[in-house]
Amino acid sequence: AASRLRLSGLCFLLQILNILLFAVFVRYSPEGSAGPCPPQLNCNRRNEDSAFQQPRFQGVHVQVLLSFGLLVVFLSRYGPGSAAISVLITAFAIQWAVLTQGVFHFFLNGKIYVGAQSMVSADFCTAAVLISTGAVLGRVSPVQMLLLALLEVTLCTLNEYILLSLMGVSDSGRSLTVHTFGAYFGLMVSRVLYQPHKDKRKREEQQDKGHQTDVFAVVGTIYLWIFWPSFTSTTTTVHHNDENWAVLNTYFSLVASTVSTFILSPVLHEESTPRMVQIQDATLAGMAMMGMAGEMLVTPFGALIAGFLVGLISLLGFRFFTPVLRSRLKIQDTCGVHNTHGLPGILGALLGTLLTLLATADTYGYRLELVFPLVAQGSQTVTDQAIIQLSALPLTLLLAGLGGCLTGAVLKIKVLRCSPDAQYKENDVFREVKLGNC
C-alpha cells in the first residue's frame, strides 16, 4: 500500500507542476498559422510545421510510444507491465521535455511557443529516456523511473542545445543526442545502482524463448520497420518535395543489418535460425547507425555496407562484450541498450564525421547548403565541420556519464531504495512473472 501511494503521490505532484507551468508559460506557436511570425522565434521550418511536419510527428509519436514499449515486453520477468511503465514515462517525459526544450528553442517574451516541431523534439528526448530505462529495467521501481525521467530530460535537453544550437553539429537522426546519450546515461545509472545479488538471478534476466514473447518481438520489429525511417528523417533539413536520402539510407541500412543477423547468429548460437529478439536488435542497430549519417550518404551501397557491418558488430557485442560489462565493469544492462543503441550510435557519429570530411559541392550539389550551411556559405571548411562533429562524441559521453552518475546517486537515496525481496514484491504488480511451468 505504501509503495502504491508513493507512486500515486509522485504522479499527482508532477502532473500538477506541469499543469501550472503550462498555464503560466506555454502558448501555441504562430509558426503553424498564416499570420506573421515574430523574428525572434525560429520560424525557418514554418512551412513544414503544418503541411509536412504533422504526418511525420504522428509517425515519430507512434514509434516512441508503441515500438519502444514493445521492445521491453519480450523480457519474461517484466512482461506487459513494463510496457505500462513505458507509457507512464512517455506521458510525463513529453510534458517535461516541452517545457525544458521550450526554454532553449521556443522562448519569447516570457512564453514558450509550441507546435508540431516542438512536439517532435519532445518525442526525441522521450526516446532517450526510454532507452535509458532499458538498461535499469527490473532494478528500479516506477517511482525511481519517474525521477530518472525528470533528471534525464533536463540533461538531454542541455546536451542537445550545446550540440545542435551552439556547436552546429549535424545530427538529424539523433545518433548522439538520443541513442548514444540515452544508452550511456542508462548504463551509468545501472553502474551506480549495481546490485550483486542480481547476478544470482541472471537466468531470470535473460530473454524468454516462449511463444508469447516472440509474438511481442515480431510486432515490435514490424513497427520498427514501418515507423523508424520517419523517426530518423523527421528533423532532416530537406523539404518534402526533395529526395529524402535519410529515409532511403535508413531502409537500406536496416535490411542489410537484418541479413547480417542470419549470417552470424547461427555461428555464435546453437539455433539455426535467429530468434525474433535478435532480429529486433539488429534492426535497431542498423537504424541507429543512420542517425547522423542518414542524410550524408550519397550512394545506396554505402548505407548497405554500414548496416551490414553494424549488424555484425551488434551481435558480437551481445556475445562477447555484454558478459564483460556484467563481470568486469559491474554494469547490468537488462535490455542490451549498449549493443542496440550505444555502440551503433558511436559508430554512426564516426561515420558521419568521415562523410563530413568527404563533403563537396560536386557530390552534394544544392544539398550541401541544407546539410552543412556554414560550409556552403564559406564560413568554415569541411575540416572545421568534421572536427565539430567528432568533438560532439566525447562531449555527449561526458554529459551522459556525469548525468547518469548524478541520477544514480539520487535514486540510491535511502528513502527511494528497498531491500531486494521488498523490491521484487513491490514490482510484482507491474510485471507478469512466470510461475513454474504453468
Side-chain angles (χ1 to χ4, degrees):
S3 63
R4 291 197 299 269
L5 291 177
R6 189 182 301 120
L7 175 62
S8 177
L10 181 61
C11 289
F12 176 79
L13 292 176
L14 291 178
Q15 187 58 45
I16 292 299
L17 174 64
N18 282 330
I19 290 174
L20 293 176
L21 292 176
F22 266 70
V24 174
F25 296 106
V26 179
R27 300 293 183 270
Y28 286 117
S29 173
E31 294 179 13
S33 64
C37 182
Q40 298 91 333
L41 282 178
N42 181 15
C43 296
N44 60 334
R45 302 191 178 187
R46 170 186 192 128
N47 294 331
E48 304 174 12
D49 204 56
S50 58
F52 177 54
Q53 203 69 10
Q54 291 282 6
R56 287 188 160 187
F57 159 67
Q58 295 170 4
V60 172
H61 194 62
V62 172
Q63 165 70 21
V64 169
L65 187 63
L66 186 56
S67 296
F68 275 103
L70 290 173
L71 288 179
V72 296
V73 177
F74 66 82
L75 294 167
S76 60
R77 268 200 68 83
Y78 314 111
S82 58
I85 299 302
S86 296
V87 173
L88 170 62
I89 298 303
T90 301
F92 167 72
I94 286 177
Q95 299 177 71
W96 188 242
V98 167
L99 291 167
T100 56
Q101 292 182 332
V103 173
F104 290 103
H105 302 290
F106 309 103
F107 195 77
L108 174 65
N109 297 330
K111 301 297 180 184
I112 297 172
Y113 292 92
V114 300
Q117 181 58 39
S118 57
M119 291 301 296
V120 169
S121 298
D123 272 334
F124 273 115
C125 194
T126 301
V129 176
L130 293 174
I131 291 172
S132 297
T133 59
V136 297
L137 189 64
R139 289 183 297 280
V140 294
S141 66
V143 171
Q144 290 172 305
M145 280 194 177
L146 272 177
L147 294 177
L148 182 148
L150 177 70
L151 296 173
E152 184 174 0
V153 165
T154 306
L155 295 170
C156 180
T157 300
L158 176 62
N159 179 66
E160 182 184 88
Y161 176 71
I162 294 174
L163 265 60
L164 304 184
S165 298
L166 298 183
M167 297 177 60
V169 175
S170 179
D171 186 23
S172 61
R174 304 300 198 260
S175 280
L176 288 175
T177 57
V178 172
H179 296 285
T180 304
F181 184 89
Y184 289 99
F185 186 97
L187 291 173
M188 291 308 300
V189 173
S190 179
R191 176 62 184 88
V192 175
L193 298 179
Y194 174 70
Q195 297 169 319
H197 69 275
K198 290 290 181 172
D199 287 336
K200 300 178 182 179
R201 303 179 186 260
K202 280 193 300 184
R203 302 185 69 87
E204 296 174 352
E205 298 284 350
Q206 292 175 346
Q207 298 166 356
D208 192 4
K209 299 181 182 180
H211 173 71
Q212 182 183 15
T213 52
D214 281 341
V215 170
F216 283 123
V218 170
V219 177
T221 303
I222 291 174
Y223 273 98
L224 287 173
W225 276 65
I226 295 174
F227 291 106
W228 197 287
S230 297
F231 185 91
T232 303
S233 62
T234 299
T235 59
T236 53
T237 51
V238 295
H239 299 286
H240 65 284
N241 57 349
D242 292 326
E243 182 183 11
N244 199 331
W245 291 357
V247 172
L248 298 176
N249 285 328
T250 301
Y251 271 119
F252 288 130
S253 178
L254 73 90
V255 296
S257 64
T258 301
V259 172
S260 67
T261 306
F262 286 84
I263 296 174
L264 191 57
S265 180
V267 178
L268 298 177
H269 305 279
E270 295 180 357
E271 299 97 335
S272 59
T273 302
R275 289 182 286 120
M276 279 305 303
V277 171
Q278 296 173 340
I279 299 174
Q280 190 181 60
D281 294 334
T283 304
L284 276 167
M287 292 183 287
M289 181 77 167
M290 287 296 104
M292 179 181 291
E295 64 176 352
M296 299 180 186
L297 280 167
V298 298
T299 57
F301 78 88
L304 289 175
I305 294 174
F308 177 74
L309 292 178
V310 78
L312 298 177
I313 293 172
S314 178
L315 279 173
L316 291 171
F318 274 106
R319 181 65 176 83
F320 298 106
F321 195 68
T322 297
V324 175
L325 283 178
R326 184 188 304 114
S327 60
R328 299 292 180 87
L329 302 180
K330 308 302 181 184
I331 296 177
Q332 298 160 316
D333 186 4
T334 306
C335 293
V337 298
H338 176 265
N339 303 302
T340 55
H341 296 281
L343 189 57
I346 290 177
L347 295 175
L350 295 177
L351 177 60
T353 301
L354 176 61
L355 294 173
T356 303
L357 285 172
L358 302 177
T360 63
D362 294 334
T363 56
Y364 276 74
Y366 73 94
R367 291 177 57 90
L368 182 65
E369 184 176 358
L370 298 174
V371 180
F372 302 114
L374 295 180
V375 174
Q377 297 168 7
S379 302
Q380 62 186 23
T381 64
V382 291
T383 304
D384 296 333
Q385 183 67 39
I387 293 174
I388 292 175
Q389 299 288 125
L390 184 60
S391 61
L393 176 58
L395 179 58
T396 298
L397 293 175
L398 177 63
L399 289 175
L402 293 178
C405 290
L406 173 63
T407 302
V410 172
L411 300 185
K412 212 171 182 179
I413 295 175
K414 187 174 182 180
V415 68
L416 298 176
R417 287 185 299 170
C418 53
S419 65
D421 293 336
Q423 183 177 4
Y424 272 81
K425 184 176 180 180
E426 174 187 354
N427 290 340
D428 279 346
V429 69
F430 302 106
R431 304 178 186 167
E432 180 181 278
V433 182
K434 287 193 172 183
L435 300 176
N437 296 321
C438 296

